[in-house]
Amino acid sequence: MARRRDEVPEEEDQEMEEELVSLQFDEPLSWRAGKSIATGELLRRLEKLSRELVDMDQETVDKESLTHVAKELASPNLLAHREAGVKAFAAACLVDILKLCAPEAPFTPKQLKEIFTLFVKTILPALWDPSNAYNTQHKYVLTSLAEVKSILLINDVTNAEELLLHLFSSFFDGISGSSKAASGEQVAKDVEFHMTDILVTLVEESHSLPPAVLDVIMAQFLRAVPPGGHREKADANGKQTTLLPKEEPEAYVMAKTVCNSCPEKMARYVGQYFSEVIMDVSGSSGHANGHKDDDDSDGDDGATGPSESDFKELRKAHQLLRELWRAAPTVLPNVIPQVDAELSADNIQLRLLATETLGDMISGIGAAGPPPSPELDPAAYPPLKLNDEVPDQPTTSILTTPISPLSFAQTHPQAFHNFVGRRIDKSPLIRAAWTTAVGYIVSTSAGGIGLSREDESTFVNGLRDKLNDNDEKVRLAAVKAIETFSFRDIITKLAAIGGVTKEGSVLFTLADRCRDKRSSIRVEAMALLAKLWAVGTGELAAGQESVVSALSGIPSRIFNTFYANDLELNVLLERVVFECLIPLSFPPPPKAKGSKSSNGNSQSQSAVDAAYDQDRIRAERILLLVKHLDSNARRAFNALQARQPQFSRVLENLVRQCDLFNGGNPEGNADSIKQNLKKTIQYLAQFLPDAIKVEADLHNFANMHDRRCYQLIKYAVSAESDFKTMHRAVKELVKRIQGSSKPHMLDTLLPLLYRSAYIVLNKSHLATYMDCSKSDKNGLGAAAQEITTEISQNNPDLFKTHVGQLCKDLVDGAPAADRPNEAAMVETLKACSSYSKKYPNELPDERKFIQALMSYALHGEPAKAAKYAVNVMMARKDEKSMVSATDLLQRVMKNWGYDSPHFLTKLAAVSQLELLAPKVTADSNDQIIDTALEDVLFKVRTDAKDSDPEWVADSELDEECQVKCWALKLVVNRLRGTQDLDEAKELAQPVFKLLRTLLKQSGELCKTKDTPKHHKARLRLLSGQLFLKLCTSKHFEEIFSHADFNQLAFLTQDPSAMVRRLFVEKLQKYLVQNKLRPRFYTMIFLTAFEPDTTFKNQIETWIRSRARFFRDAKQNVMESTMGRLISLLAHHPDYGTEVEDLVDHAKYLLYYVSNVATEANFGMIFKYAERVKQTRDGITPAESERLYVVSDLAQSILRKWQDKKNWSFQAYSGKIGLPIGLYTALPSHDVAQEIAEKQFLPEGLDEQLDELLRSVDKKKKRRYADERAEGQPAQKKVKAAAPRATARVKATPKVTKASSRKPAVKPSKASRSKKAAPSSSPAMDSADRRRSGRSRKNSSYIERDSSEDDEDMLEGVAEWDYYDERGNPVQDDDQDSSDLSELEEPAVTDKVPSDEPEEEDSELSDVEEQKEQEEQVEQEEEEEAQPLPPQRANGRRGRAAPPPASGSKPSVSKPATKASTTKRKSPAASKAKAKPAPKAKTPSTRSTRSRRAAAQEQDEDDE
């Protein structure tokens, strides 16, 4: 108000009293009834009065002169006049009167109420129409009320609450809803300012604020709520933000100004306001700590919880709280403690609401909801750069922009601390809400105000932990929380503690969710990871360190899900690969100049930019993907590409069948056509998760009979289609299916298209692959070479248009005696080699090209270049190729010797000639073989040292070792190249002996000098792999004896980790390709003690996959393996009848049972185990009791496993047989009865077996601790055994006590090994592998000399009578099945529809189990392994005994004396009774050795 008169100094006051100015206006303004003043005249008088009052000053006016006019202005005649102008001028005069007469108003209370009623209800609301004729008077009234503060007189009016409510409501509603008049003219900003000033004045100067008025103020903040209701109803992805204003509403700003201008008073009012809502609702709910260790259940909502209507009000209040924190946090100091108290409420809904609210407040999220999630466009080009990213989208509404004016953690530390504690709430709903909130808190940096380093670390670690929560809702919330982060925030915040390859980091844990049990979580996690990698490819290609560290491991984690062998997961993998990692739409078509790219960056590209090569850009993205794959992921990637041609043929066949089906009206043989279509559909259905839906969708597709769709599919799966053609065909097909009456068919057709179309191995990309393989552009050379190799193996057709260039490159890069070839030429040769096998006549045959191949065969480096060159040279198999081979051999033999130049290359060339041109090498064979054996294999030129490593990588392998490997291959290739079967079998004897010696003597062949350890490891591995290769031929497998089989099987327990790994992988490869007989599956179960848990988990996954494959194929391969496994274990060097020895053997059996047995096949497996006791040992009949011991052990394990699984036992009623050679018939019924009734297991073993199965559960729980209790599919998250030095163990010999109940244990055998009993569960993390401590007497083994495994055994067994455990006679179901070999080797065939062209590719359904496909020549070519870094530690508890002295020749041990076989009871007894074993005993080098055996061998060597 104006300054009061008593504030004026006395001198001036005296002067003013003398100069008081009186009002000159003297015209009447009121009238009596019936004598009214004309409106025009009245307006003139009021305007005249108004002009005079405006010019008067409060300090000099004679207030007495105003009394009459004031009385007339307050008359009802003016205040209620029907003319708006009269009321406008009257109001203008009234505010002047109030100003001049301040602080006392010359009006009665009644008049004052009528005056302010005019102001509030008529004059001020008229301001919303700026075009009003009297807008000037209206604004004058507003300005005067605000500046003079005469508005405060409204508080003196009776029942002022009504006027105040109307004033506040009209101001807020008017400024927001009527901001524009009908004319479109906007209300002036000064009007808004003065209105706000009036409201602030009223709040600040009033002693109290009516609750209704406070409600109106608070309601303005809810204008931020998006259309459609509260936040929980809004689009979670922020897509509703287009309906929100870009700026804060005017009423919202006005209310915010009011609150921030009067923080203390408003804090008191707001506190009271929320107390009425919050305390009334939550007060009755009780308070508890709500943590997970509470006794309350998750679902306990409280017996006296609030009603739904109460919750509705409470939710509204919490919405308001969110917005108040963004707008005016200083008014909430009294409210936050109330919300904090809700965090401890016993009622879950209250805690949930409080958790959500506090989380949003900390992150600055208001009632409008969170900001839209950043878009990660995997198809954007150019890719995103960290420095180019725009943090905020300019089109985002200010209401959804997180804003926190104050740091919540600093202003309310207790509430903040309690909020952090909700991470361990007992309710998953609250933990999920907490997780969602944390995502926004970290991604928004607490609303832009920032977080302390400690708080951010706490939240990031909490987010990581919630990714591993045991409730699926929490895990899903954690994944979605990470989706709220921008690309930059993920790199700088989440990846700050480590990327996807660092265990314990957020991204590593997120990658684990790719194998989550719940499909929704898998989809979200895998898609998010893939998008992150795709968006970051620009920085990854540029080598940006932080991005490489964070994201480079993503493709490996995604592709490694392939090994889970889950159909649904495989479909997801393919969709993620082709929609996120390398989407079909990448890169987008070139844009016109000045257009915006998809990531928001302006592009300066012309409409047709010659440098913008879409095929090159896409091919480089694929190469970058392959570059970032680890070895396992690359095998999975290659397996996906390897099956693509087969699927394309299947899909083409489906289209052909659909066309013949003719929409249900086939022409010709209708039954045959329908049956063929049905078979094809059923065949495809087995590869997708929901077989019923797949069949229904494909039948619907056939009935739709859209010929255009048929043609589009043919375009998509054709090798002749370039990428654009393929992509357009897929897009059009998708569009047509979506527009059909059954769009759900796309769920089936799209995965099939992804598997069948030429997406990765497309001819459009081949030029880029070849260019990168030669130039190594951006470090992509190795990846390009690998993809080129894959194309040459699986899709050689793609090379048709490029084979000329390949051959030209070979000619240009041919080496000479003094000039080596480029390394890239080896891959080019390999590609030509693969191509030449399928199209031998399409390669050039001119002399220049042949001479180039000759140069590679003579001077190429590395040696495998010569191998590929010979393959290409011999591809035609014609007269000319034989002449070339003869010429090559003559040139090689001119200077044939170890010291000759390029001898390694020559050796490789001759090795391949022995295989492909045996007639050419026939005359020189003696000289060739003599050199290979006498000058290479039987000599050692490199001195062995104690410091020699056990294994070295291929790239570091010295020349002597390479020469020995090629020499060994040469010897075997000569045998493989022999065409005459009789001659081959004759030649096989010395070759088998050579390989057998290498296995027995741990890779040692030299009699006079020690071979370095890494040489011996290589030779052991190669001999084992060559044995397998030879056994892929039936005539060689027939003469492969049981002794050799067992010796080869123990290579799976070699001391060297790389030998074990590479041998097992080769074994798996041949088994999957159906090249080995099923008996070789037995070997794989000796990996039960494999110390590398990651590798062991892969083996178990493979076993389970193969078991499922054979079950689906109705073949009992894995079940029949039980019979062979029992024999193998009975002849294992570590066999013993002591309890601890048998527990170790039980672990092998448990390993088999846990991976093979199901409730359906349990009866058959048990029958195989039981049937063994009806035979005797066919290898060493005198030791048949070993079989019976292991048989009883297997039956005991099976019974306990059945009890553990709660399976019902169904006796198998079919016929089974055991393999001849391993088993023979018993001599009589009496012997059979005696064996059947005798229990061969020692006392005390049963308790140990129970403990073994209990330990399985304990180990499994520890293994899957972070896999979630719900059981994720095949997650392999276990650490590999830590490398450690293997110390040499010295111990005294173990003296054993002879046992009268062990007639089958030969007294000549060395003492048994005694071990602690590590668990053999599938999830075992055992570092103990068993290793033989004895050599074995090979003379007891008999070799087969014919393929008699499929013939019947002796008659008689089927005529015996059998009894069950109660003594009752049992009907012999095998009355006609005494042929023990009847089911020994079931035919392994995959059932493919007979009308399909890919019938020969019968392993299609199991291609996911294949390891990396390596090149083969004439189906038998040797591949080049890419071994992993060696593991120095083999995890055993004892070290292998050293090899024999260099001067001693290894020999077969002779039977030890009987006294030396007694069991030791104590060290003292050992010293008293032990007798030294013969020194000539050959030490075993298998990695499964026991401590006792190791100690015995050590003592024998010491003696």
Side-chain angles (χ1 to χ4, degrees), residues 914 929 933 937-938 967-978 983-999 1005 1019 1022-1031 1036 1039-1040 1044 1343:
E914 289 280 6
I929 297 300
L933 293 176
L937 289 173
F938 293 160
L968 191 59
K969 291 179 183 178
L970 185 151
V971 173
V972 173
N973 278 352
R974 182 199 176 193
L975 175 60
R976 295 170 58 207
T978 304
E983 182 184 357
K985 289 184 178 182
E986 182 180 349
L987 286 176
Q989 299 303 326
V991 175
F992 275 38
K993 182 179 179 181
L994 176 66
L995 298 177
R996 184 186 308 124
T997 304
L998 282 169
L999 291 178
L1005 285 177
L1019 292 173
L1022 184 57
S1023 62
Q1025 291 178 331
L1026 291 176
F1027 252 144
L1028 292 178
K1029 185 175 287 294
L1030 287 172
C1031 288
F1036 292 134
I1039 60 175
F1040 188 59
D1044 291 339
E1343 289 190 355

Side-chain angles (χ1 to χ4, degrees), residues 212-226:
V213 173
L214 182 62
D215 288 345
V216 171
I217 297 176
M218 294 295 99
Q220 307 316 307
F221 293 102
L222 294 179
R223 291 182 184 274
V225 176

Side-chain angles (χ1 to χ4, degrees), residues 310-336:
D310 290 337
F311 262 125
K312 186 176 180 180
E313 291 301 317
L314 191 61
R315 291 189 191 99
K316 184 177 179 180
H318 279 258
Q319 288 281 67
L320 179 56
L321 275 177
R322 292 176 171 92
E323 202 57 45
L324 278 175
W325 177 260
R326 297 178 77 252
T330 54
V331 305
L332 297 177
N334 301 325
V335 183
I336 301 301

Side-chain angles (χ1 to χ4, degrees), residues 75-110:
S75 67
N77 290 338
L78 294 181
L79 297 181
H81 200 281
R82 66 176 181 273
E83 175 58 38
V86 173
K87 290 188 283 188
F89 277 107
C93 294
L94 284 170
V95 293
D96 283 337
I97 296 294
L98 291 175
K99 176 183 72 172
L100 295 173
C101 295
E104 301 298 331
F107 302 107
T108 64
K110 182 179 179 181

Side-chain angles (χ1 to χ4, degrees), residues 133-153:
Y134 303 100
N135 188 60
T136 303
Q137 286 70 36
H138 299 157
K139 290 178 65 175
Y140 182 79
V141 173
L142 174 68
T143 304
S144 179
L145 289 174
E147 293 179 351
V148 181
K149 299 190 186 306
S150 52
I151 190 63
L152 291 174
L153 292 174

Side-chain angles (χ1 to χ4, degrees), residues 989-1145:
Q989 299 303 326
V991 175
F992 275 38
K993 182 179 179 181
L994 176 66
L995 298 177
R996 184 186 308 124
T997 304
L998 282 169
L999 291 178
K1000 287 183 177 180
Q1001 308 305 332
S1002 302
E1004 182 66 82
L1005 285 177
C1006 184
K1007 301 178 181 179
T1008 59
K1009 191 175 182 180
D1010 288 343
T1011 303
K1013 289 186 288 187
H1014 58 286
H1015 288 200
K1016 293 195 292 185
R1018 285 280 180 173
L1019 292 173
R1020 286 198 309 273
L1021 171 64
L1022 184 57
S1023 62
Q1025 291 178 331
L1026 291 176
F1027 252 144
L1028 292 178
K1029 185 175 287 294
L1030 287 172
C1031 288
T1032 59
S1033 299
K1034 182 180 179 182
H1035 53 283
F1036 292 134
E1037 201 274 340
E1038 289 173 352
I1039 60 175
F1040 188 59
S1041 68
H1042 292 300
D1044 291 339
F1045 182 90
N1046 290 351
Q1047 189 72 50
L1048 183 61
F1050 297 141
L1051 201 60
T1052 60
Q1053 300 175 326
D1054 192 88
S1056 171
M1058 289 307 302
V1059 172
R1060 298 193 306 272
R1061 175 182 287 271
L1062 295 177
F1063 176 75
V1064 169
E1065 289 178 352
K1066 175 70 73 174
L1067 175 63
Q1068 290 174 325
K1069 172 188 172 183
Y1070 285 156
L1071 287 171
V1072 167
Q1073 292 176 344
N1074 200 20
K1075 290 185 176 181
L1076 290 173
R1077 294 182 66 184
R1079 68 164 171 159
F1080 284 87
Y1081 279 98
T1082 313
M1083 294 181 179
I1084 209 75
F1085 294 102
L1086 290 187
T1087 60
F1089 288 86
E1090 171 61 48
D1092 184 345
T1093 51
T1094 301
F1095 182 45
K1096 183 179 177 184
N1097 290 337
Q1098 293 172 359
I1099 295 173
E1100 291 185 89
T1101 300
W1102 183 88
I1103 293 172
R1104 289 192 293 269
S1105 172
R1106 297 305 295 166
R1108 183 174 63 181
F1109 167 73
F1110 286 123
R1111 286 196 301 270
D1112 293 343
K1114 309 299 183 185
Q1115 298 172 10
N1116 303 326
V1117 172
M1118 302 304 275
E1119 292 81 0
S1120 63
T1121 301
M1122 171 58 90
R1124 289 191 174 275
L1125 181 60
I1126 290 176
S1127 175
L1128 181 60
L1129 295 179
H1131 293 90
H1132 196 286
D1134 286 337
Y1135 171 82
T1137 53
E1138 290 296 315
V1139 170
E1140 292 181 358
D1141 295 328
L1142 292 176
V1143 168
D1144 277 343
H1145 266 45

